[in-house]
Amino acid sequence: MRFIENVEKEEYKSFVDNHEKSHFLQSYEWGVFCQKAKGQIPHYVGMHDDKETLVATALLLEKKTPLGYSYVYCPRGYLIDYKNKAHVKLFTNYLKEYMKKEKIIYIKIDPDIKYQDINEDACKIEGGENNYEIFEYLKSIGYKHKGFTKLYEGNQPRYTFRNNLQRPWEEVTSVFNKSFTKSIKRSEQYDLKIDEEIRLHDFYTLMEYNSKKDGFNARSEEYYQSFIDAMDKEKGVKFFNASIRPKELLTKIEVEIKKLENDLQNNAKRSEDIKNQINRLKKDQEEFKKIEEDEVVICSLICTYTMNRAWSLFIGSNELANLTFAVSRVYYEAIKDAYHNGYEFFDLFGTTGDPKTTYKNLAHLHDFKRKFGGEYIEFIGEFDLISKPFLYKILPILLKIYRKIRG
């Protein structure tokens, strides 16, 4: 076995693309993006076997400190067979030497490994599958576990929903919640135009709307442009946009209202139901009258991919998207697209580990994502491999002081 400090680009990409546990956060392209958008220095390391074939890789994202040392984040851990303890231990030992050489205080990993099977309440399923052995082995060879976080305290969410796409389409859709299925059908009455064009400015405008409404700080438009530029153009990123044409909808609504008013005169038994339909249409009418454009994007979802897996990543939407059920629709179209392109799963990229959380935004997000019917997954969490124990202990304090001085 031999440690490789700088795996050649094509060799690295080929290994990641063909690995059964490939993750976009471990891709060569993600390292390029993080360097440009976040100022992190990517290191593409690996391990060759005796036949000079890669058996492990890791994207190490280095952040320098004013002390002359650095710390590293390895998103979603190494690409390695974690059940092969000999390989894991040897690669870890190589990394320990590499950390000394490069003056790295610690390396943080959060492997894409399920901790245990859980039910809808995030509780352990007795008799279910687990990876306790891997968890304990990592601790036994020097990794410090950072705890079983429930919300979004770590670099990546420790929980997610994943829809298995390796089955007939009828089975994929059969797990959808009834309200989700209903919302997809209701979206059809608004004649949404779905396209896959890269509409970055429209997406960013919607993200800004969300940030103001929900009280979070939006990234810059340049941040998302950097992501698009860095990712593989053929398979790395895709947009799913939903647009409406207000004038056409207003014409359609006028026709529907006249028809319903006529039905009201001839169908006394359904009068209450018909009146409700008319009132709903009139509310829609008022909203669409406010729009001057002939066509407007109301929801935009960005997804990312490896060779065999798909993730939803960023979404922007406005009130018209809620009115027309466009959010459900773009997710449905993205899942359908991933299915027809042969991906293993569609990952909703994060949810809470506390379904009853009092954080309303997280609770709402969780409730929405669970309607897709995917498997509720708990990952094993973050581990730190520490090279400089004293600096590791005081680093958070020093960084806090440094950031305060810088303003």
Side-chain angles (χ1 to χ4, degrees), residues 39-56:
Q40 297 170 322
I41 304 168
H43 299 249
Y44 303 94
V45 303
M47 185 169 71
H48 276 166
D49 63 13
D50 295 336
K51 297 179 181 179
E52 293 297 304
T53 301
L54 279 176
V55 293

Side-chain angles (χ1 to χ4, degrees), residues 156-175:
Q156 306 299 333
R158 205 171 71 83
Y159 293 80
T160 194
F161 285 105
R162 279 181 177 173
N163 285 70
N164 174 16
L165 303 181
Q166 295 186 311
R167 49 185 173 171
W169 179 243
E170 294 76 16
E171 292 184 24
V172 174
T173 57
S174 69
V175 299

Side-chain angles (χ1 to χ4, degrees), residues 72-239:
V72 164
Y73 174 46
C74 179
R76 284 304 181 221
Y78 324 129
L79 269 184
I80 194 171
D81 179 3
Y82 283 90
K83 292 182 180 179
N84 188 325
K85 294 180 180 179
H87 280 190
V88 173
K89 186 172 184 178
L90 183 58
F91 192 56
T92 297
N93 288 338
Y94 279 137
L95 285 170
K96 287 177 180 178
E97 293 301 315
Y98 185 69
M99 291 164 73
K100 291 178 183 177
K101 175 177 173 290
E102 297 294 323
K103 300 180 72 174
I104 296 171
I105 299 170
Y106 71 93
I107 294 175
K108 182 182 294 293
I109 66 173
D110 47 11
D112 183 19
I113 297 173
K114 183 196 299 185
Y115 180 61
Q116 60 186 1
D117 283 340
I118 56 174
N119 60 23
E120 62 181 12
D121 296 318
C123 297
K124 172 185 174 182
I125 296 176
E126 295 298 334
E129 294 181 0
N130 66 70
N131 284 299
Y132 299 158
E133 187 174 349
I134 293 174
F135 175 84
E136 293 298 336
Y137 184 69
L138 287 173
K139 291 200 299 181
S140 74
I141 59 173
Y143 291 87
K144 179 180 179 180
H145 189 244
K146 299 298 291 180
F148 293 108
T149 57
K150 289 285 187 178
L151 303 177
Y152 283 69
E153 300 96 331
N155 285 270
Q156 306 299 333
R158 205 171 71 83
Y159 293 80
T160 194
F161 285 105
R162 279 181 177 173
N163 285 70
N164 174 16
L165 303 181
Q166 295 186 311
R167 49 185 173 171
W169 179 243
E170 294 76 16
E171 292 184 24
V172 174
T173 57
S174 69
V175 299
F176 291 166
N177 181 283
K178 288 182 180 179
S179 65
F180 180 58
T181 302
K182 185 178 179 181
S183 67
I184 296 167
K185 291 180 179 178
R186 291 187 69 179
S187 74
E188 294 173 359
Q189 69 191 21
Y190 294 99
D191 300 329
L192 295 175
K193 175 187 173 184
I194 307 296
D195 70 70
E196 297 175 11
E197 293 182 39
I198 296 177
R199 298 178 180 268
L200 179 60
H201 185 66
D202 290 320
F203 163 80
Y204 187 69
T205 299
L206 294 167
M207 280 294 290
E208 282 191 310
Y209 175 87
N210 292 150
S211 68
K212 291 175 183 176
K213 179 173 65 75
D214 297 331
F216 66 88
N217 294 322
R219 302 275 193 177
S220 67
E221 189 168 349
E222 289 73 22
Y223 176 90
Y224 298 106
Q225 183 65 62
S226 296
F227 172 74
I228 294 167
D229 292 342
M231 301 309 284
D232 190 309
K233 299 301 180 293
E234 292 184 6
K235 63 176 178 11
V237 62
K238 188 178 287 189
F239 278 62

Side-chain angles (χ1 to χ4, degrees), residues 316-329:
S317 62
N318 59 22
E319 288 303 320
L320 286 170
N322 296 330
L323 177 70
T324 60
F325 306 96
V327 177
S328 294
R329 179 67 176 278

